[in-house]
C-alpha cells in the first residue's frame, strides 16, 4: 500500500500545472548563492586563462606531385593497365601520400631532427610559463635511443648565473619512485649521468648571459613526442579535384611550429626521393660490378692479341684474304652483337635467379634491345617500390600488401619466362649466324692459320671493348637519372602563423557563466528533491487538491498548549480566526460536527482542535470538544485534566446508566467551552466506536451545543477514525511542516478517492516562517507506526513547534 501511495503522490504532483513564476521567485530567494557562484566561476575562468599558454595555428599548403602516366618507358601505363584488369589492387596514390606525410614514422624523424622531445620553459610570477625554443641559453641533449626508453618524462631544472655556473637538478621516476640527481657545473659543456640516461649540457653559441635565470627542461621519449605532434597535426586536401594538401599544426610557439612544417616537408621529399632512386641505385651497383669484370677480361684479351702478333710476326694481310673476309665480316659483326646481348641476358638471369635478390629491384636500362623484356622488368620494379612504400605505414597482413605480393610473384615469373625466351631466341640467332659464317670460312680455308687465330682473338677483343664502352655509357646515363630526381612534394604556401586557437576566452567565460548559474540551480533543485517532508503550503498543494483551510506558524507556547486568548489580536488569535472562518464557510446549514485527524502521532491535531474550540467559544458559541482518541487521550494534556477523569468511553460502554452531559466538564478557558474527555482506556476501542451508541452520543451533543469538535486517533495508524467519520460533518486532516512525510501524507488522496472520509479538508501546522529548509535526510517510510501506537507511556502526540511534550 505504501508504494501505491508513493505513486499517487508523484502522480498528483505531475498533474499539477507548473507555476514557473513561483519557481522563479523560489530560486530568486537564493540570489546571494547565484552571485557568489558566478563570481567564483568567473574568477576561476580568469585564473585558468591566465595560466594557460596560448596555442597558435600554423598552416601551409603542399602540392603532392603525381607521376606522369604517359612516360615513354610505359611503366606507369602498364601498371595502370594491370589495375584496370583487376590484376593489382592499390589504394589511391594521393591518399597514400597524405597518410605518409602525417605518419608517426616520419613525425619521429622530424622530432629527432629538431629535438622536439626536449622543451624549455621559464617560469613567471604571474601567468603561464614562457616557452623557450631557440633562445634558451643552455641547451640540453639526450641520445634519442636512450630517450625512447624513458618510462616517464624527465624534468631538469637549470639555475645559471652570468659567470657561466649552472646547477642542474634532474627529477625522474624509476620503479614507481621519484628520484633526483643533482650536479653543479662551473663551466659548460658538461655531462650529467642518471640511472635513466646520460644528459649533455652546452651553452648556445654567442650567448651573453646578463643575469641569473632558472629554466626547466622537460625530456620525453621521441615516440611520445611524435604521437603528441600527430595529435596536433592535420592534413586534408584543399578540394576533391586537386592534389594539394593543407597542413595545419597547433603549437604554443610560432617559430617551433613553422620549423616543424618546413622540416616535415623536407624529410618527406627526402624519403620519397630515396624510394624513387632505389632502382637507379641498384642499377648503378650492377653496372659497376660488370665494368670491373669486363675490364679484367678486356685486358686479358688485348694482352693475348699483342702476344700473338709478336709471336706470329704479322704485319699486314693480303688483299685476297681481305676480299674473302669482307663477306664474313658482316656476319661476324652480327655475331658480336648477338654475343653481347647474350652475355647481358645471362648476367640478368644470374641476378634474378640469385635468392638474395628475390625482393630487390632488377637492374634496368643496361642496354637490352628487347623492349618487351625491358617493359616487364619496369613493371616488376615499380610494384616492388610500391610495396616498400606501403610497408612504411602498414604491415605484411594488410590486404593491399598481400594482393601486391601475389602480383609481384606473378610478374617475377613473367620476367624469368621472358629472360629464358630471349636467351633461346639469341641462341637460335647465333646458330643462324654461325651457319652463314661457315660459308665464308670455306672461302678463306686456304688463308694462313695465323690469320684465323688473329681474327678470333680480335673478335673477342672487339666484343669485350664494345660491351665495356656501352656499360660506361649506361653508368653515365644512370648517374644523370639520380641527379635529376625531382621532389615529390612542393611547398605552395610557406608556413604562415595564424591567431590563437586555444584557449578560447569567450568559450571559457560562457562556460563559467553557465556553471555559475547552473550549479546553484542544480543544488537547489537537488535540495528540493531531497526534501521528503512537507515544508510549506506549496508542498501540500502539490500533493493534493483538497482545500487547505489554513496554515499555523510555529509559536512559543511557554508551557501551555492553548495559544488563543480572548480579546487579543496577536498572530495566533488571527490565524485561528481565519481557520475558524474557513471552516464555517465549508459547513452547511445544520452541520455542527468537526472531526480532527492526521496521518501519524505528533502532528498537532489535539493542539489545533483545542485552540480552534477556544476560538469558537470566544465567538460566543457553545462548544464541546470530545476526546475520541480513546486509545491515548490527548485532550487531557491540552486542558490539564487528570487521566482518571471519566469520559465518553463510560457512556459508550453503558449508555443506559450514564448521563453523557454530566461528563462534559466546563473548561477554565471560557464559559462556552466544554470538554468531554476520552475516559478510561478500553480494551476494545475499535469495537466500541463502531457501536450505534456513538451516533446517539453525537446527536445528543448536537442538540445541546453549537459546535461539536472530535479529537480522534491518527488515521494512518488505526481504523478508529474511519469508523468515527460517519458522524462527522467536516473532517480536518492535519499535517505538520518539517515532520509529516510527503509519502505518508499522500494517504489523504486515497481516503478521498475511496470516499472513506466525507467532506475532507486539510490544515498545515508548525510552519517556521524564518527558516530555509536544507540538509534533510531523504527517505520514505510506511504509513503508520503501529509498534509505537498503543497503551504504553512512550505513546504521545505533538502539539506544534515550541510546545514541550511530556516524555
Amino acid at each position: 500500500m505504501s508504494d501505491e501511495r508513493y505513486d499517487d503522490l508523484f502522480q498528483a504532483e505531475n498533474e499539477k500545472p507548473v507555476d514557473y513564476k513561483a519557481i522563479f521567485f523560489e530560486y530568486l530567494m537564493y540570489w546571494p548563492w547565484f552571485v557568489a557562484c558566478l563570481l567564483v566561476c568567473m574568477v576561476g575562468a580568469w585564473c585558468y586563462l591566465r595560466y594557460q599558454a596560448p596555442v597558435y595555428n600554423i598552416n601551409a599548403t603542399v602540392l603532392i606531385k603525381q607521376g606522369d602516366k604517359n612516360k615513354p618507358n610505359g611503366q606507369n601505363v602498364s601498371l595502370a593497365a594491370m589495375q584496370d584488369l583487376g590484376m593489382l589492387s592499390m589504394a589511391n596514390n594521393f591518399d597514400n601520400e597524405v597518410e605518409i606525410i602525417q605518419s608517426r614514422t616520419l613525425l619521429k624523424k622530424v622530432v629527432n631532427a629538431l629535438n622536439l622531445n626536449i622543451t624549455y620553459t621559464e617560469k613567471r610570477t604571474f601567468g603561464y610559463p614562457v616557452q623557450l625554443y631557440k633562445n634558451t641559453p643552455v641547451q640540453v641533449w639526450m641520445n634519442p635511443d636512450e630517450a625512447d626508453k624513458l618510462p616517464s618524462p624527465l624534468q631538469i631544472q637549470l639555475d645559471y648565473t652570468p659567470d657561466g655556473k649552472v646547477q642542474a637538478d634532474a627529477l625522474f621516476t624509476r620503479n614507481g619512485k621519484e628520484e633526483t640527481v643533482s650536479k653543479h657545473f662551473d663551466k659548460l659543456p658538461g655531462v650529467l649521468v642518471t640511472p635513466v640516461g646520460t644528459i649533455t649540457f652546452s651553452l648556445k653559441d654567442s650567448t651573453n648571459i646578463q643575469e641569473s635565470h632558472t629554466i626547466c627542461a622537460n625530456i620525453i621519449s621521441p615516440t611520445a613526442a611524435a604521437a603528441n605532434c600527430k595529435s596536433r597535426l592535420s592534413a586534408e586536401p584543399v578540394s576533391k579535384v586537386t592534389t594539394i594538401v593543407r597542413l595545419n599544426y597547433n603549437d604554443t610557439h610560432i617559430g617551433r611550429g613553422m620549423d616543424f612544417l618546413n622540416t616535415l616537408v623536407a624529410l618527406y621529399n627526402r624519403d620519397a626521393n630515396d624510394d624513387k632512386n632505389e632502382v637507379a641505385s641498384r642499377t648503378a651497383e650492377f653496372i659497376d660490378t660488370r665494368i670491373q669484370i669486363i675490364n679484367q677480361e678486356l685486358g686479358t684479351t688485348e694482352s693475348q692479341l699483342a702476344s700473338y702478333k709478336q709471336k706470329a710476326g704479322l704485319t699486314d694481310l693480303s688483299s685476297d684474304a681481305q676480299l674473302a673476309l669482307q663477306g664474313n665480316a658482316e656476319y661476324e659483326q652480327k655475331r658480336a652483337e648477338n654475343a653481347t646481348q647474350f652475355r647481358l641476358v645471362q648476367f640478368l638471369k644470374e641476378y634474378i635467379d640469385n635468392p638474395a635478390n628475390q625482393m630487390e629491384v632488377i637492374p634496368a636500362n643496361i642496354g637490352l634491345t628487347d623492349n618487351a623484356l625491358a617493359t616487364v622488368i619496369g613493371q616488376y620494379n615499380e610494384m616492388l617500390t610500391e610495396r616498400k612504400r606501403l610497408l612504411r605505414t602498414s604491415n605484411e597482413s594488410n590486404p593491399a600488401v598481400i594482393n601486391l605480393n601475389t602480383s609481384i610473384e606473378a610478374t617475377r615469373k613473367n620476367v624469368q619466362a621472358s629472360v629464358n625466351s630471349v636467351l633461346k631466341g639469341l641462341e637460335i640467332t647465333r646458330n643462324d649466324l654461325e651457319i652463314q659464317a661457315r660459308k665464308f670460312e670455306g672461302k678463306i680455308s686456304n688463308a694462313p692459320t695465323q690469320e684465323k687465330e688473329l681474327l678470333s682473338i680480335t673478335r673477342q677483343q672487339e666484343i669485350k671493348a664494345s660491351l665495356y664502352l656501352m656499360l660506361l655509357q649506361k653508368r653515365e646515363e644512370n648517374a644523370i637519372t639520380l641527379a635529376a630526381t625531382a621532389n615529390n612534394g612542393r611547398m605552395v604556401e610557406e608556413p604562415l602563423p595564424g591567431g590563437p586557437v586555444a584557449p578560447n576566452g569567450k568559450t571559457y567565460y560562457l562556460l563559467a557563466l553557465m556553471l555559475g548559474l547552473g550549479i546553484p540551480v542544480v543544488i537547489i533543485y537537488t535540495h528540493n528533491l531531497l526534501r521528503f517532508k512537507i515544508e510549506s503550503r506549496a508542498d501540500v498543494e502539490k500533493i493534493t487538491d483538497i482545500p487547505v483551510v489554513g496554515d499555523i506558524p510555529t509559536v512559543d507556547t511557554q508551557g501551555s498548549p492553548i495559544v488563543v486568548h480572548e480579546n487579543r489580536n496577536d498572530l495566533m488569535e488571527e490565524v485561528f480566526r481565519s481557520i475558524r472562518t474557513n471552516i464555517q464557510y465549508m459547513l452547511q446549514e445544520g452541520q455542527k460536527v468537526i472531526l480532527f485527524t492526521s496521518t501519524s502521532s505528533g502532528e498537532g491535531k489535539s493542539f489545533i482542535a483545542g485552540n480552534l474550540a477556544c476560538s469558537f467559544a470566544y465567538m460566543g458559541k457553545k462548544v464541546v470538544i470530545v476526546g475520541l482518541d480513546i486509545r491515548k487521550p490527548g485532550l487531557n494534556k491540552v486542558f490539564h485534566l487528570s487521566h482518571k477523569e471519566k469520559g465518553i468511553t463510560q457512556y459508550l460502554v453503558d449508555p443506559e446508566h450514564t448521563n453523557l452531559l454530566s461528563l462534559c466538564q466546563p473548561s477554565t478557558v471560557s464559559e462556552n467551552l466544554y470538554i468531554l474527555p476520552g475516559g478510561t482506556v478500553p480494551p476494545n476501542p475499535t469495537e466500541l466506536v463502531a457501536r450505534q451508541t456513538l451516533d446517539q452520543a453525537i446527536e445528543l451533543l448536537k442538540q445541546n451545543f453549537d459546535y461539536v469538535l472530535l479529537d480522534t486517533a491518527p488515521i494512518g495508524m488505526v481504523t478508529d477514525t474511519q469508523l468515527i467519520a460517519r458522524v462527522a460533518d467536516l473532517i480536518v486532516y492535519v499535517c505538520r511542516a518539517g515532520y509529516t512525510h510527503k509519502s505518508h501524507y499522500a494517504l489523504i488522496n486515497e481516503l478521498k478517492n475511496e470516499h472513506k472520509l466525507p467532506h475532507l479538508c486539510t490544515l498545515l501546522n508548525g510552519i517556521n516562517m524564518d527558516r530555509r529548509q536544507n540538509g534533510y535526510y531523504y527517505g520514505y517510510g510506511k504509513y503508520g507506526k503501529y509498534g509505537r501506537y498503543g497503551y504504553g507511556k512512550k505513546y504521545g502526540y505533538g502539539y506544534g513547534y515550541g510546545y514541550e511534550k511530556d516524555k
Side-chain angles (χ1 to χ4, degrees):
M1 180 64 71
S2 60
D3 294 337
E4 295 178 359
R5 291 174 182 168
Y6 178 72
D7 295 337
D8 291 342
L9 167 62
F10 282 93
Q11 183 178 0
E13 290 184 353
N14 292 332
E15 290 176 355
K16 297 288 184 180
V18 179
D19 189 351
Y20 294 102
K21 183 176 180 181
I23 294 175
F24 172 77
F25 281 105
E26 178 184 359
Y27 283 89
L28 190 61
M29 293 175 59
Y30 297 92
W31 68 266
W33 289 21
F34 287 91
V35 173
C37 193
L38 271 174
L39 184 61
V40 170
C41 291
M42 287 297 181
V43 171
W46 181 85
C47 293
Y48 177 81
L49 294 173
R50 177 70 177 174
Y51 289 92
Q52 287 295 314
V55 178
Y56 301 91
N57 176 261
I58 300 93
N59 60 80
T61 55
V62 179
L63 172 64
I64 304 297
K65 299 179 182 178
Q66 299 294 297
D68 185 7
K69 296 185 178 180
N70 297 317
K71 286 184 178 179
N73 60 12
Q75 293 179 2
N76 290 334
V77 175
S78 303
L79 187 61
M82 295 180 68
Q83 289 181 265
D84 295 337
L85 293 174
M87 298 174 61
L88 182 61
S89 175
M90 297 172 59
N92 183 275
N93 186 55
F94 175 69
D95 294 336
N96 290 339
E97 298 301 325
V98 172
E99 290 299 322
I100 289 172
I101 202 170
Q102 55 183 339
S103 64
R104 187 175 299 178
T105 302
L106 182 60
L107 295 180
K108 188 174 180 179
K109 294 179 181 179
V110 178
V111 168
N112 291 332
L114 298 177
N115 291 327
L116 295 182
N117 63 314
I118 304 176
T119 57
Y120 305 87
T121 57
E122 184 175 6
K123 294 183 178 180
R124 301 192 295 182
T125 304
F126 298 101
Y128 55 86
V130 177
Q131 297 285 324
L132 303 177
Y133 176 47
K134 292 184 177 180
N135 56 340
T136 174
V138 179
Q139 291 183 327
V140 180
W141 185 84
M142 187 177 189
N143 187 282
D145 294 334
E146 288 186 345
D148 234 353
K149 299 178 183 179
L150 287 176
S152 61
L154 175 61
Q155 299 177 358
I156 304 173
Q157 180 174 318
L158 299 172
D159 299 312
Y160 58 91
T161 58
D163 57 0
K165 296 181 180 180
V166 176
Q167 173 67 33
D169 300 313
L171 176 64
F172 55 90
T173 301
R174 187 175 61 159
N175 299 327
K177 296 181 179 180
E178 290 189 353
E179 299 182 17
T180 302
V181 176
S182 302
K183 189 174 182 180
H184 182 77
F185 300 97
D186 292 330
K187 185 179 180 181
L188 293 182
V191 176
L192 175 62
V193 180
T194 68
V196 295
T198 302
I199 306 168
T200 303
F201 304 97
S202 61
L203 284 176
K204 187 180 177 182
D205 296 340
S206 66
T207 299
N208 186 13
I209 301 176
Q210 300 294 336
E211 57 184 4
S212 300
H213 285 282
T214 299
I215 63 173
C216 295
N218 192 51
I219 304 177
I220 62 176
S221 67
T223 301
N228 186 22
C229 292
K230 184 176 178 66
S231 65
R232 293 183 280 119
L233 173 68
S234 65
E236 49 190 28
V238 175
S239 66
K240 295 183 179 179
V241 296
T242 65
T243 59
I244 297 178
V245 181
R246 183 178 301 279
L247 301 177
N248 289 284
Y249 184 70
N250 295 331
D251 203 323
T252 55
H253 195 283
I254 294 177
R256 182 169 56 199
M258 297 176 67
D259 289 348
F260 175 86
L261 291 183
N262 286 323
T263 307
L264 175 65
V265 175
L267 293 180
Y268 165 76
N269 284 327
R270 188 188 69 181
D271 289 351
N273 290 337
D274 291 343
D275 292 337
K276 291 179 182 178
N277 293 332
E278 185 174 3
V279 174
S281 299
R282 292 288 181 180
T283 302
E285 293 177 4
F286 175 80
I287 290 174
D288 290 340
T289 302
R290 301 317 303 169
I291 284 177
Q292 292 178 3
I293 296 174
I294 297 301
N295 187 34
Q296 294 176 358
E297 293 179 354
L298 182 60
T300 302
T301 304
E302 290 177 346
S303 298
Q304 290 178 355
L305 178 61
S307 176
Y308 181 78
K309 284 184 177 182
Q310 184 179 7
K311 181 180 179 181
L314 297 176
T315 58
D316 192 9
L317 299 175
S318 64
S319 58
D320 293 337
Q322 290 294 334
L323 294 174
L325 292 174
Q326 285 179 356
N328 190 36
E330 180 180 356
Y331 286 95
E332 289 297 333
Q333 181 66 30
K334 293 181 179 179
R335 292 175 67 184
E337 292 176 358
N338 176 268
T340 298
Q341 292 295 318
F342 190 85
R343 290 290 300 274
L344 287 175
V345 175
Q346 279 187 329
F347 293 156
L348 195 61
K349 178 176 174 59
E350 293 173 0
Y351 183 87
I352 295 173
D353 293 338
N354 189 349
N357 301 323
Q358 184 173 2
M359 281 299 174
E360 301 294 339
V361 295
I362 299 174
N365 196 20
I366 59 175
L368 296 176
T369 59
D370 194 305
N371 293 330
L373 179 59
T375 300
V376 174
I377 291 175
Q379 295 174 0
Y380 179 80
N381 290 340
E382 189 168 351
M383 284 187 287
L384 282 179
T385 302
E386 184 63 22
R387 178 180 180 272
K388 292 183 178 181
R389 294 292 299 276
L390 289 177
L391 287 178
R392 288 173 177 240
T393 57
S394 180
N395 53 42
E396 294 286 347
S397 60
N398 191 310
V401 176
I402 295 173
N403 292 337
L404 193 58
N405 289 339
T406 304
S407 300
I408 290 172
E409 184 62 25
T411 306
R412 184 178 182 85
K413 293 180 179 179
N414 290 338
V415 172
Q416 292 175 339
S418 298
V419 170
N420 293 331
S421 177
V422 171
L423 283 176
K424 290 181 180 180
L426 292 174
E427 288 178 356
I428 294 172
T429 302
R430 183 179 61 184
N431 292 334
D432 293 337
L433 293 174
E434 287 178 354
I435 292 173
Q436 295 297 328
R438 289 193 192 100
K439 292 180 181 180
F440 290 97
E441 289 176 356
K443 294 180 181 181
I444 58 172
S445 58
N446 295 325
T449 304
Q450 293 88 349
E451 187 174 2
K452 291 183 180 180
E453 293 178 0
L454 179 61
L455 289 175
S456 177
I457 296 173
T458 303
R459 183 175 62 247
Q460 295 295 327
Q461 188 266 344
E462 290 177 352
I463 292 173
K464 290 179 172 54
S466 61
L467 181 60
Y468 182 77
L469 292 175
M470 185 188 66
L471 289 176
L472 289 177
Q473 180 182 358
K474 294 301 179 183
R475 183 172 66 177
E476 293 301 321
E477 293 177 356
N478 194 68
I480 294 174
T481 302
L482 287 171
T485 302
N487 290 333
N488 201 50
R490 179 171 66 87
M491 190 80 75
V492 178
E493 293 182 358
E494 297 293 333
L496 180 66
V501 295
N504 191 330
K506 294 182 179 179
T507 301
Y508 281 98
Y509 283 122
L510 179 60
L511 180 61
L513 177 63
M514 295 174 62
L515 288 176
L517 296 176
I519 290 176
V521 170
V522 172
I523 293 176
I524 296 171
Y525 178 76
T526 306
H527 169 259
N528 292 338
L529 287 180
L530 296 178
R531 292 191 305 180
F532 65 96
K533 295 180 180 180
I534 293 175
E535 305 296 344
S536 64
R537 182 169 183 158
D539 294 335
V540 174
E541 293 175 344
K542 289 180 181 179
I543 297 174
T544 182
D545 56 359
I546 293 173
V548 181
V549 295
D551 326 72
I552 301 177
T554 302
V555 66
D556 186 3
T557 60
Q558 298 180 351
S560 174
I562 302 300
V563 295
V564 177
H565 304 89
E566 192 174 11
N567 298 326
R568 287 191 186 179
N569 296 317
D570 294 335
L571 174 63
M572 296 307 292
E573 283 79 8
E574 293 298 333
V575 167
F576 277 98
R577 286 169 187 163
S578 175
I579 296 172
R580 181 186 69 194
T581 302
N582 292 335
I583 289 177
Q584 286 179 316
Y585 275 119
M586 296 186 69
L587 291 172
Q588 302 296 325
E589 185 69 26
Q591 293 181 344
K592 299 181 178 181
V593 182
I594 306 171
L595 184 147
F596 291 86
T597 186
S598 62
T599 306
S600 60
S601 61
E603 294 178 290
K605 58 179 179 54
S606 299
F607 163 77
I608 293 172
N611 282 279
L612 189 59
C614 295
S615 182
F616 275 112
Y618 294 149
M619 194 175 63
K621 300 295 183 179
K622 191 175 182 180
V623 183
V624 61
I625 181 168
V626 184
L628 278 177
D629 186 0
I630 57 179
R631 296 175 182 266
K632 184 62 179 179
L635 288 180
N636 300 64
K637 292 183 179 180
V638 175
F639 293 100
H640 303 288
L641 300 178
S642 172
H643 289 285
K644 298 180 180 180
E645 294 287 344
K646 294 182 179 181
I648 192 172
T649 55
Q650 276 72 22
Y651 177 80
L652 295 178
V653 172
D654 188 11
E656 296 180 357
H657 301 88
T658 304
N659 185 356
L660 180 63
L661 297 178
S662 64
L663 298 175
C664 298
Q665 304 179 21
S667 70
T668 58
V669 178
S670 173
E671 60 182 8
N672 295 326
L673 177 60
Y674 291 82
I675 304 169
L676 179 56
T680 305
V681 177
N684 57 342
T686 303
E687 291 76 9
L688 201 60
V689 298
R691 296 176 182 177
Q692 192 64 28
T693 310
L694 177 63
D695 300 74
Q696 299 172 4
I698 298 302
E699 286 297 326
L700 181 59
L701 294 175
K702 290 169 64 176
Q703 296 172 7
N704 292 275
F705 293 93
D706 295 323
Y707 291 98
V708 179
L709 278 65
L710 307 180
D711 179 28
T712 63
I715 196 170
M717 294 183 173
V718 292
T719 60
D720 298 1
T721 302
Q722 295 186 38
L723 297 174
I724 300 172
R726 68 183 188 274
V727 300
D729 298 320
L730 180 67
I731 297 175
V732 179
Y733 198 104
V734 178
C735 65
R736 176 175 163 186
Y739 182 85
T740 303
H741 289 217
K742 294 179 180 178
S743 58
H744 294 178
Y745 184 72
L747 173 64
I748 192 172
N749 292 324
E750 179 183 336
L751 297 172
K752 174 191 174 184
N753 296 334
E754 297 178 1
H755 306 288
K756 294 181 178 179
L757 294 181
H759 308 293
L760 192 61
C761 66
T762 186
L763 187 149
L764 180 59
N765 179 34
I767 297 177
N768 190 340
M769 306 301 291
D770 300 325
R771 181 181 178 189
R772 269 187 190 160
Q773 302 295 336
N774 54 55
Y776 282 90
Y777 175 80
Y778 184 76
Y780 293 99
K782 295 182 178 180
Y783 299 118
K785 305 173 184 176
Y786 301 102
R788 296 178 58 189
Y789 191 87
Y791 303 101
K793 292 183 179 180
K794 293 184 179 179
Y795 172 75
Y797 298 147
Y799 303 97
Y801 290 133
Y803 177 70
E804 291 288 339
K805 295 190 291 185
D806 296 334
K807 300 292 183 183

